[in-house]
Amino acid sequence: MKPLQPDTLICNPNGPPIVASVVINCEALRVWEMVGQFSSFDAFIPALASVEMIGTGVGALRTKTFRDGNCVVEQLNSRDDHAMHMTWTMIYNTLGVARLWAGIRVQAHGVQCAKVSWTIIAEPVDKTQVGFEAFVQDFADSALVNVRKLLGGA
């Protein structure tokens, strides 16, 4: 009998990166304080009912529960407060997403201005699904527009 070997169901997705970005009339560190909190995405995504955390720092898990009842569990892969970026991977969801990797970065764009970029690579469970990339793009765009409204006006 062959010995058991390490295996995993967590795989990086394949596909084109979907990038949402906005420039905000706000200091970069203040923007990072909002979008860089892995445990607090409900602060700028109104569709989220709650975010629950298990652990802290790299390796921590968050469970996002949406107002419509859907659920997503993600693991924090990397985080750098000095460089103002972090990445995470989806490990479970009820949204019909097979795999998802995401990263968010804040960059100073002058003294009192910042650019925030959210990159997502995702695969739908149903490869024939029409409009999946547009849905993901719209979700990320609307979240970042909301960050701009909350921190830097229209």
Side-chain angles (χ1 to χ4, degrees):
M1 180 180 294
K2 237 177 143 177
L4 294 176
Q5 297 293 314
D7 60 357
T8 184
L9 295 176
I10 300 172
C11 300
N12 284 322
N14 291 308
I18 297 165
V19 180
S21 63
V22 294
V23 174
I24 301 172
N25 292 320
C26 182
E27 181 183 302
L29 185 57
R30 186 162 173 233
V31 176
W32 178 246
E33 287 170 352
M34 177 175 278
V35 302
Q37 300 307 311
F38 191 63
S39 62
S40 302
F41 271 38
D42 53 340
F44 62 92
I45 301 176
L48 286 174
S50 66
V51 177
E52 295 178 28
M53 294 295 300
I54 298 174
T56 59
V58 172
L61 300 177
R62 74 174 170 195
T63 300
K64 299 187 304 191
T65 303
F66 289 83
R67 296 191 189 284
D68 66 4
N70 279 300
C71 174
V72 174
V73 178
E74 296 166 318
Q75 181 176 43
L76 183 62
N77 297 330
S78 68
R79 179 183 167 83
D80 186 327
D81 280 323
H82 179 71
M84 294 186 288
H85 62 75
M86 67 179 171
T87 64
W88 62 94
T89 302
M90 178 183 293
I91 57 176
Y92 172 82
N93 74 94
T94 59
L95 297 170
V97 179
R99 292 174 194 78
L100 183 142
W101 171 92
I104 202 159
R105 174 185 305 271
V106 176
Q107 297 170 290
H109 209 260
V111 178
Q112 287 295 319
C113 203
K115 180 178 181 181
V116 57
S117 300
W118 189 352
T119 303
I120 301 169
I121 301 174
E123 295 177 42
V125 170
D126 179 359
K127 300 284 187 184
T128 64
Q129 181 177 346
V130 176
F132 178 76
E133 287 180 18
F135 168 78
V136 173
Q137 182 75 61
D138 191 52
F139 179 81
D141 285 342
S142 64
L144 294 188
V145 165
N146 198 41
V147 171
R148 184 171 57 207
K149 286 178 186 173
L150 292 166
L151 294 178

